[in-house]
Amino acid sequence: MSSLPVEAPPAPPAAPAAVPSGRRRGAWVLVLLVLLGVLAVLSVAFGARPVSPAEIWAGLTGPADGFGPASVAQRIPRTALALLAGAALAVSGAVMQGVTRNPLADPGILGVNTGAALAVVVGIAHFGLRSPGGFVWVAIGGGAAAAAVVYAIASLGPNGFNAAAATPLKLALSGAAVTAALTSFISAVVLGRNDIAEGVRSWQIGGVGGADFGTMGVVLPFLAAGLAVGLLSAKSLNSLALGDELAAGLGERVGLVRGLASLGAIVLAGAVTALTGPIGFVGLVVPHVVRLLVGSDHRWLLPLSALGGAALLTAADILGRVASRPVEIDVGIVTALVGAPFFIYIVRRHKVREL
């Protein structure tokens, strides 16, 4: 006599992903602060030219007489710029990823950095732009224009413009196409201008070697404003992660939040590009790593991304200085070598789905 079939019990529901505790998050803040301190010391102590402890002390405390102390003295503003630029680019990338719910969002991938670079080059070549403050304004305008073009192209669907059509893959492909076009425009502008060609080509690579505190002082208010806007948008970005309809149901003005947060991200990326040239992948790599450490709460993600971005760019600058002494490798090349494989990894792992 055959037994009656017994229905298998339903599988238990999957356990929700563990949310990192406040203690764990605080521990990571402490770890990153200590790491930043160590990297800042290493950045001053190591460079393309080896220096002795006595020369390091002389460069920090006294007149920079001699090659060794002078080299150390030049590394101090360079280190400060690497910290500022890395923090700004990482926060910019984290905000862009939150606004678009796109794991591939980054100021470089979405064309913002290249748009800012083109605007600065045009300003130098055709309008005689020379002041750091002018560089920042035109860089922010160029970055905003490039971001608008990328978003518009990605939003084009079979029935015309549709914001829902701007999938992560289409945004990434549109950004790559616009970046390639803008890079060609930069070459066309510089072609035949031997008076600016060498400087522009070097600046396009992205580096922090020409840092000075005077120029950083001009740009610092823009970085502070962009960072403030990004941090103040953190709670609203958490709501956007739930979807536009639910965010609106929670009282968020979705269009206003998305516009203001995007503006803060563009200001950060444009201001950094005006100082350093276009540096890619910092805003892509750092937020993803920080999410693994502290979760997706933007109230923690943004400040820790700032610390992580500062650490990454400072470490990349140190590596570029010591890897092939006495020749320096610009930090933009080092971040590309790190970021390009990471970009491929994210595409394969996430299959370019939304965050």
Side-chain angles (χ1 to χ4, degrees), residues 88-89 92-93 96 105-114 179 265 269 279 282-284:
L89 290 173
S92 178
M96 288 183 181
D106 165 80
I109 292 172
L110 297 186
V112 176
N113 288 350
T114 311
T179 296
I279 296 175
V282 176
L284 176 72

Side-chain angles (χ1 to χ4, degrees), residues 135-221:
F135 289 162
V136 177
W137 283 112
V138 299
I140 292 172
V149 170
V150 169
Y151 186 76
I153 293 174
S155 299
L156 292 176
N159 300 318
F161 185 85
N162 180 9
T167 63
L169 179 58
K170 289 183 69 176
L171 281 169
L173 293 176
S174 301
V178 170
T179 296
L182 296 180
T183 301
S184 299
F185 289 152
I186 292 175
S187 299
V189 171
V190 175
L191 190 65
R193 289 296 305 271
N194 295 329
D195 54 329
I196 65 171
E198 188 61 33
V200 168
R201 290 193 188 100
S202 177
W203 175 78
Q204 269 189 278
I205 297 173
V208 295
D212 68 83
F213 286 118
T215 304
M216 281 188 280
V218 174
V219 178
L220 192 59

Side-chain angles (χ1 to χ4, degrees), residues 107-134:
I109 292 172
L110 297 186
V112 176
N113 288 350
T114 311
L118 175 61
V120 171
V121 171
V122 170
I124 293 172
H126 295 292
F127 298 99
L129 192 65
R130 293 293 182 270
S131 68

Side-chain angles (χ1 to χ4, degrees), residues 252-321:
E252 297 291 350
R253 300 173 65 180
V254 174
L256 181 62
V257 167
R258 187 165 273 136
L260 288 177
S262 298
L263 178 61
I266 290 169
V267 168
L268 288 171
V272 169
T273 301
L275 276 177
T276 66
I279 296 175
F281 294 108
V282 176
L284 176 72
V285 173
V286 174
H288 280 279
V289 174
V290 172
R291 280 191 193 91
L292 296 177
L293 302 179
V294 301
S296 298
D297 186 343
H298 286 84
R299 293 171 296 181
W300 287 92
L301 176 64
L302 295 182
L304 266 79
S305 291
L307 297 177
L312 174 61
L313 201 62
T314 305
D317 185 43
I318 296 170
L319 179 61
R321 281 184 266 162

